[in-house]
Structure formats: C-alpha cells, structure tokens
Amino acid sequence: MVPTDSFPHDSFDVAPADADRVGAHRAENPRLRGAVVFAWAAVATIVLIGAGVLGTLIVTDRLNGASDAPLGATPSPTITPVIDTSYSVLILNATGEPGEATGAKDAVVHAGWPAAKVSPGEAGSTYPTTTVYYAADEDAAAAEGLAGVIGDAVIAKSEKYQPAGDAKAKQLTVVLGTDRVTSPSPTTTP
C-alpha cells in the first residue's frame, strides 16, 4: 500500500472518521505502459509491411522466384532452325519506338508466313532483349527459325504468351526489345 502522505491532499481525502478507506481513488502509476504500447505498435508495423510485400509479390506473380526473362540466353547449338509457316506469330513491340512491330511483320511475311497469321501489336512496357517465345519443346526449332528471320533474337520457352484457353495452339511470340532500336547521335559534317 502506498502511504497517503506521499500524495498532495485534496477534497477527496476528507472522509468521516468511521470510513475504512481514505484516498481510495488513487492507484499506482503503471510502469512500462509506454514500452508496451511501443512494442505492440512495432509488431503491428512489421506485420503490415510483411503483408504488403507478400501481397505485392502475389499480385505481380513474382512469388515463384522464377522469371520468364532469359538472362543472357543463347540459342542452343543442338536445335536446327526450321521455317514453319504453320505457326501463327504474335509480334509485340517492346522497344518504345512506334512502328517496329509493323517492320518485323513485313520481314516475317516476306519469309513465307501468310499475312493473316502474323499479328503486330504494342507491348505495355519496354524489354531489353528481342526474344522469340515458344510453348513446347517441339516448337523450339520453329522458334529458332523465326529468330533467324527476325535477326539477333534469342529463344525462350514460356507459356506466358499462349492464347488463353488453347494450350495446344501453334503460336510463336516475338517480343521486340530495345536492343533492336539504334539511336545514333546526330552528327554534322562541315
């Protein structure tokens, strides 16, 4: 019990003489209350940040740790390139320069693909390396052949660009990278 003389006296300390308790409204100040509040706030902050990071990884489909982007991929020497015009070709311009997909379509059509099977379009962002994507191992030779038609392209296996709902569709996807765009600085000759 806390001695009553350690607190300043007020009107509540005056009580009848027969009262059992005097100053009962006072309680000890709980210690470490600030530290407990701070600890709970720190734990809540860590949990919320962790949930945000995990949510972002799930939404951006980066949780599996694998990437569809080839890192320095080079054509395999065991694949013999084949020009197979039975494949439909989707060309996505990820160079940041408009019109690149149309130029690539012209090259593909010139190599023998029917114009109706070649679809040029714009990508949502830029990509550094021109890549031909194929879905199944048996499509690798056709992808290598198309990479030769496009020029300076690597091939990579990925189902990311396959038509939705048609896993057996014969489609190759060309993503034109910024490596295709040359921007020489203007020079003046005297």
Side-chain angles (χ1 to χ4, degrees):
M1 178 159 182
V2 177
T4 57
D5 59 347
S6 64
F7 295 105
H9 290 282
D10 58 18
S11 62
F12 295 104
D13 291 332
V14 178
D18 60 343
D20 291 336
R21 301 185 329 172
V22 175
H25 64 280
R26 293 190 178 119
E28 289 188 46
N29 188 8
R31 296 194 178 144
L32 299 175
R33 178 177 275 170
V36 170
V37 169
F38 179 78
W40 276 110
V43 168
T45 301
I46 291 169
V47 167
L48 289 174
I49 290 172
V53 169
L54 182 63
T56 301
L57 290 174
I58 290 171
V59 168
T60 59
D61 197 27
R62 295 183 183 176
L63 192 59
N64 60 4
S67 174
D68 287 334
L71 300 176
T74 57
S76 174
T78 59
I79 298 174
T80 304
V82 174
I83 303 295
D84 188 347
T85 60
S86 66
Y87 285 85
S88 62
V89 178
L90 173 63
I91 301 173
L92 297 175
N93 180 11
T95 64
E97 297 290 326
E100 292 293 318
T102 304
K105 176 185 178 180
D106 293 342
V108 172
V109 169
H110 186 267
W113 269 269
K117 284 191 158 196
V118 182
S119 303
E122 295 295 320
S125 61
T126 59
Y127 188 73
T129 308
T130 300
T131 307
V132 177
Y133 290 98
Y134 61 96
D137 291 334
E138 58 268 13
D139 302 332
E144 189 67 51
L146 181 58
V149 169
I150 297 295
D152 295 328
V154 296
I155 65 170
K157 183 178 178 182
S158 173
E159 294 182 12
K160 182 176 184 176
Y161 297 104
Q162 279 302 104
D166 193 2
K168 297 293 182 182
K170 290 181 71 172
Q171 176 176 302
L172 300 173
T173 301
V174 178
V175 177
L176 300 173
T178 56
D179 58 346
R180 294 187 58 87
V181 180
T182 57
S183 55
S185 59
T187 57
T188 56
T189 55

